């Protein structure tokens, strides 16, 4: 490759298309999401918090201005913006033992952000923090979450290890009644929901999983008491004499396998589908460079620049320069080579496919360069388009398979055959192990209520699940008719920027702070999206091209509902038709106008 998107050798496109379909077909299965086990009953112990003991406290029965469910990036950013706007009485409610959300739970060795810290970590400018690395490691991100909570005094009224059980709109009082598993029964004028998309771990429904007699845990509840070591990278010395199997090779595994490979006596990596693993190129951030660029407004400029580079804009500079922006740069270059008169949807999609083929060929060639054993290398190659599954970036993962104690157990798309009391069975061979680590991901395609652990009961006793029975309906992904004073903080039906999820959340926080401040300043007890505005937004979304990231042609995974038709309701799980960069501009203007079009404020 000489220049982005300029092929150096010819690609047999038809052969690649056929290979991709063949590999997808191998993996399609009738049970889709049902192949996974829900962690309840005898499996509920996999959810226990290994990090923080539960502190006894008295139930809350008071009233607050704003209660936010979830103390991850969404809750922290929203609470911060509310505090900046002078709103008092902001309470975070969190099922974990501290703030941080995904970064509270995911402490597996090697965890780090996959999107550059400069744009991934919220409120850097406000808190004055300089990330230490281009891709910060998990302890730094968790510490940053704690920094935000301290900076904005969010700890004072936060409720940890607290799971909301019901949220009910009190019509007479214009407020929400909140009940939790800790016996809390308090009210809030406003509520925010930032429960996150990837917070309920799931286990693979492998036959015999409950018969295993050794130790096991899920990666999002890393058992350092068993492995030794710590999230900061201390060696996992207790694994020195252990045989360990890890099941799954998604983004989590890619990060933790290099550490396990160094620590275990024997490591068996059970692979169903290889990840695409591109260059990471992490590097420390130079304080002198940072001081030069961190002029007022720097983080917003970086956010906007990344989004433009990522999401189809035509920026003149790429500040972040990473694997996410690379594919788009290539697509733009490829399209740029089309004569202007020939730029149709079909030729542009073909240009996108060409850029993708080239990129994936390079990623596959990288496997050959880095993995010594040719057979292992062949099995580690990903045969699908780059955005069919979550792209991964790592500079030590592939080399792990050169370690003498590491064995790749490739299952040719079928998954682990069986788990026995002694270990895992792949292709009829039993591999005895002391420990099984489940890197099997999180629930995505299941209902919101199942993942959140509660439904909302809005005006007239109508539940959110009833309102969304035929698909999600919102204005901006945030406001839902019949659920006054409630704000959803998540990407869908808004910007839907998947490559930098925090940007969606921090921008949503601005909208909430603006709307709530307006309501409070005007003495309005309630604010609600009108049915017309909700309907118009949903109608607009129907014209969206759909998710570019994945399609039924893709190999199964959570990006495409495990390859199953998700039904017509999922048609609305899209973003603003003109794309993320256009959405952020639109919503900034919506806020700045001060009219909050589509919302009705009343006393
Ligand atoms: P994933 O859902 O991506 O991966 C689960 C893995 O388990 C897949 O490799 C899957 O195979 C495999 N699997 C499932 N069932 C079986 C089975 N029966 N036998 C063998 N293998 C099986 O989970 P992750 O935790 O890796 O990642 C989830 C998401 O979390 C990421 O996509 C990303 O969005 C986020 N994440 C972000 C990070 C960051 O920003 N730094 C780091 C880590 C995760 P198959 O592919 O065939 O389904």
């Amino acid at each position: 490759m000489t220049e982005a998107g300029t092929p150096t050798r010819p690609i047999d496109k038809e052969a690649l298309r056929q290979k991709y379909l063949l590999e997808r077909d191998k993996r399609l299965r009738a049970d889709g999401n049902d192949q996974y086990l829900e962690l309840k009953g005898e499996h509920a112990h996999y959810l226990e918090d290994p990090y923080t003991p539960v502190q006894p406290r008295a139930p809350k029965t008071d009233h607050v201005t704003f209660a936010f469910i979830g103390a991850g990036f969404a809750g922290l950013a929203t609470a911060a913006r509310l505090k900046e706007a002078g709103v008092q009485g902001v309470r975070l409610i969190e099922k974990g033992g501290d703030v941080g959300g995904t970064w509270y739970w995911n402490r597996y060795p090697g965890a780090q952000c996959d999107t550059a810290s400069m744009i991934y970590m919220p409120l850097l400018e406000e808190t004055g923090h300089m990330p230490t690395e281009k891709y910060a490691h998990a302890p730094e991100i968790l510490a940053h979450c704690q920094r935000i909570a301290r900076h904005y005094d969010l700890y004072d009224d936060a409720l940890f290890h607290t799971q909301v059980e019901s949220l009910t709109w009190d019509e007479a009082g214009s407020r929400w009644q909140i009940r939790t598993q800790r016996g809390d029964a308090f009210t809030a004028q406003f509520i925010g929901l930032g429960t996150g998309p990837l917070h309920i771990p799931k286990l693979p429904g492998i036959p015999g999983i409950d018969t295993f007699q050794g130790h096991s845990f899920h990666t999002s509840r890393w058992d350092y008491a068993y492995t030794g070591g710590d999230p900061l990278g201390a060696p996992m010395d207790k694994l020195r004499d252990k045989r360990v199997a890890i099941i799954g090779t998604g983004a989590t595994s890619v990060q933790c396998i290099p550490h396990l490979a160094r620590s275990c006596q024997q490591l068996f990596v059970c692979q169903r589908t290889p990840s695409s693993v591109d260059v990471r190129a992490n590097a420390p951030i130079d304080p002198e460079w940072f001081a030069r660029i961190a002029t007022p407004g720097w983080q917003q400029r970086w956010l906007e620049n990344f989004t433009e580079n990522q999401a189809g804009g035509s920026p003149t500079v790429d500040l972040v320069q990473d694997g996410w922006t690379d594919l788009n740069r290539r697509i733009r270059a490829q399209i740029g080579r089309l004569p202007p008169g020939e730029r149709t949807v079909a030729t542009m999609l073909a240009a996108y496919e060409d850029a993708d083929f080239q990129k994936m060929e390079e990623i596959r060639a990288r496997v050959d360069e880095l993995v010594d054993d040719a057979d292992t290398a062949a099995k580690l190659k990903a045969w699908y388009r780059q955005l069919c599954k979550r792209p991964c970036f790592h500079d030590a993962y592939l080399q792990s398979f050169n370690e003498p104690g590491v064995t790749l157990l490739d299952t040719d798309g079928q998954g682990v055959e069986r788990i026995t009391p002694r270990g895992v069975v792949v292709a009829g061979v039993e591999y005895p192990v002391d420990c099984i680590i489940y890197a099997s991901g999180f629930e995505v395609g299941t209902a919101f209520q199942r993942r959140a652990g509660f439904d909302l009961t809005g005006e007239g006793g109508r539940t959110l699940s009833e309102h969304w029975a035929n698909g999600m309906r919102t204005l901006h992904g945030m406001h839902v008719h019949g659920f006054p004073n409630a704000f959803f903080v998540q990407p869908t039906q808004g910007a839907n920027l998947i490559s930098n999820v925090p940007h969606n959340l921090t921008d949503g926080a601005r909208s909430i702070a603006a709307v709530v401040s307006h309501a409070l300043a005007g003495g309005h007890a309630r604010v609600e999206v009108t049915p017309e505005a909700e309907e118009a937004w949903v109608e607009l979304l129907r014209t969206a091209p759909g998710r570019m990231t994945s399609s039924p042609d893709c190999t199964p995974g959570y990006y495409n509902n495990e390859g199953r038709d998700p039904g017509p309701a999922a048609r609305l799980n899209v973003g603003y038709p003109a794309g993320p960069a256009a959405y952020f501009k639109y919503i900034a203007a919506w806020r700045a106008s001060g009219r909050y079009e589509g919302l009705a404020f009343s006393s």
Side-chain angles (χ1 to χ4, degrees), residues 340-356:
E342 289 177 24
R343 286 184 199 168
T344 63
V345 172
T347 57
M348 288 201 280
L349 284 175
Y352 174 22
E353 188 190 43
D354 286 349
D356 197 302

Side-chain angles (χ1 to χ4, degrees), residues 36-48 199-205 209-210 216-221 438 440-443 446 450:
Y36 291 102
L37 295 181
E38 189 178 358
L39 299 188
K40 58 183 186 186
E42 62 186 311
H43 302 119
H45 67 93
Y46 282 100
L47 291 173
E48 280 166 17
H199 64 113
I200 304 286
K202 64 187 187 202
L203 289 186
I209 188 167
D210 296 327
S216 63
F217 57 89
H218 187 273
T219 49
S220 67
R221 306 288 189 275
Y438 293 105
S440 44
F442 303 85
E443 289 195 15
T446 52
R450 168 167 154 175

Side-chain angles (χ1 to χ4, degrees), residues 430-446:
E430 184 188 55
Y431 297 85
V433 291
D434 301 295
C435 176
I436 299 178
I437 300 173
Y438 293 105
S440 44
F442 303 85
E443 289 195 15
V444 174
T446 52

Side-chain angles (χ1 to χ4, degrees), residues 283-346:
I285 288 183
D286 171 11
E288 283 178 24
W289 169 83
F290 184 79
R292 276 199 306 279
I293 68 102
T295 53
W298 75 264
Q299 197 174 25
Q300 187 61 26
R301 286 197 298 278
W302 275 63
L303 285 166
E304 287 170 12
N305 179 263
F306 177 79
T307 304
E308 293 220 333
N309 273 285
Q310 243 296 290
S314 40
T316 49
V317 58
D318 178 358
L319 293 172
V320 168
Q321 303 230 14
D322 69 356
W324 294 105
T325 55
D326 182 53
L327 180 61
N328 272 283
R329 202 165 42 240
R330 287 158 183 258
I331 295 167
R332 281 199 303 275
Q334 199 82 14
I335 290 173
R337 280 183 216 110
L338 291 170
E342 289 177 24
R343 286 184 199 168
T344 63
V345 172

Side-chain angles (χ1 to χ4, degrees), residues 12 19 23 48 53 72 76 181 220 240 269 312 331 345 404 429 436 461 473 495 564 590 592:
D12 183 344
K19 173 74 173 160
E23 293 294 332
E48 280 166 17
L76 289 168
Q181 105 289 16
S220 67
R240 215 168 281 143
V269 178
I331 295 167
V345 172
V429 179
I436 299 178
R473 298 181 59 80
R564 290 182 100 194
W590 181 87

Side-chain angles (χ1 to χ4, degrees), residues 18 74 129 187 358 429 450 463 520:
Q18 290 307 320
H129 179 66
T187 55
Q358 189 62 43
V429 179
R450 168 167 154 175
T463 62
L520 293 175

